[in-house]
Amino acid sequence: MLGNSGKPISEKAITVWRWTGALGALVSGAVIVGMAWILARFHAPKWCLGMLAGIWLIEVVLGVGWVPVLRQRRWRYAIREEEIDIQRGVWSTKRTLIPMTRVQYVDVRQGPLLKRYGLASIAVFTAAAAHEIPALPADEAEQLCRLIAEWAKVADDNDA
């Protein structure tokens, strides 16, 4: 495993993932309010309503408060001339080694939340799958994209 030898992603990822968790909690909260309304119309026991509220509260605490911090702490990556090494996981650790010879192309992605915090993600595509290194500083993501493309000998879109 990479442990502390790999490079961590930006700490700003915590804020981005908290916003994402909060938006998800708002959506699920609206669904739960709808379910509670239906249950109340059919005179369901009060404990059902309390259980729904408790489930939502657990989602908020985990999805907004705790999981984003763990995700950021556990994400590690290393980019070497012969391979890309990605390690991630909150509950269990998953490590992916991508040989540079298998890389077909590389993308830099930046959604509205990432852009707001000056971050971007790198997506590395092979014939089998796509792999992502999230929440890197935008300039670093651009440099790493070019470096991976160079080492993998992938043509840049601007070269065409």
Side-chain angles (χ1 to χ4, degrees), residues 89-111:
V90 172
W91 312 115
S92 62
T93 304
K94 182 176 180 180
R95 185 176 183 192
T96 305
L97 291 171
I98 307 162
M100 285 294 182
T101 57
R102 299 285 185 223
V103 173
Q104 291 183 337
Y105 64 99
V106 187
D107 277 345
V108 175
R109 298 176 175 181
Q110 190 178 45

Side-chain angles (χ1 to χ4, degrees), residues 9 16-17 36 39 42 65 69 84 87 91 97 112 114-115 131 136 138 141 155-156 159:
I9 60 174
V16 171
W17 288 335
L39 288 173
F42 290 103
V69 174
I84 301 168
Q87 181 177 302
W91 312 115
L97 291 171
L114 290 174
K115 190 172 191 166
H131 308 278
L136 301 172
D156 190 349
D159 293 342

Side-chain angles (χ1 to χ4, degrees), residues 54-131:
I55 290 170
W56 183 76
L57 186 61
I58 289 170
E59 178 192 4
V60 169
V61 169
L62 290 178
V64 177
W66 194 53
V67 172
V69 174
L70 283 177
R71 280 179 72 188
Q72 190 277 334
R73 285 185 187 163
R74 304 250 170 104
W75 257 100
R76 293 280 183 269
Y77 71 95
I79 298 173
R80 296 181 278 277
E81 197 164 346
E82 64 279 349
E83 67 191 5
I84 301 168
D85 193 348
I86 302 172
Q87 181 177 302
R88 65 201 170 281
V90 172
W91 312 115
S92 62
T93 304
K94 182 176 180 180
R95 185 176 183 192
T96 305
L97 291 171
I98 307 162
M100 285 294 182
T101 57
R102 299 285 185 223
V103 173
Q104 291 183 337
Y105 64 99
V106 187
D107 277 345
V108 175
R109 298 176 175 181
Q110 190 178 45
L113 275 175
L114 290 174
K115 190 172 191 166
R116 165 75 173 91
Y117 291 97
L119 301 174
S121 296
I122 296 176
V124 179
F125 294 86
T126 64
H131 308 278

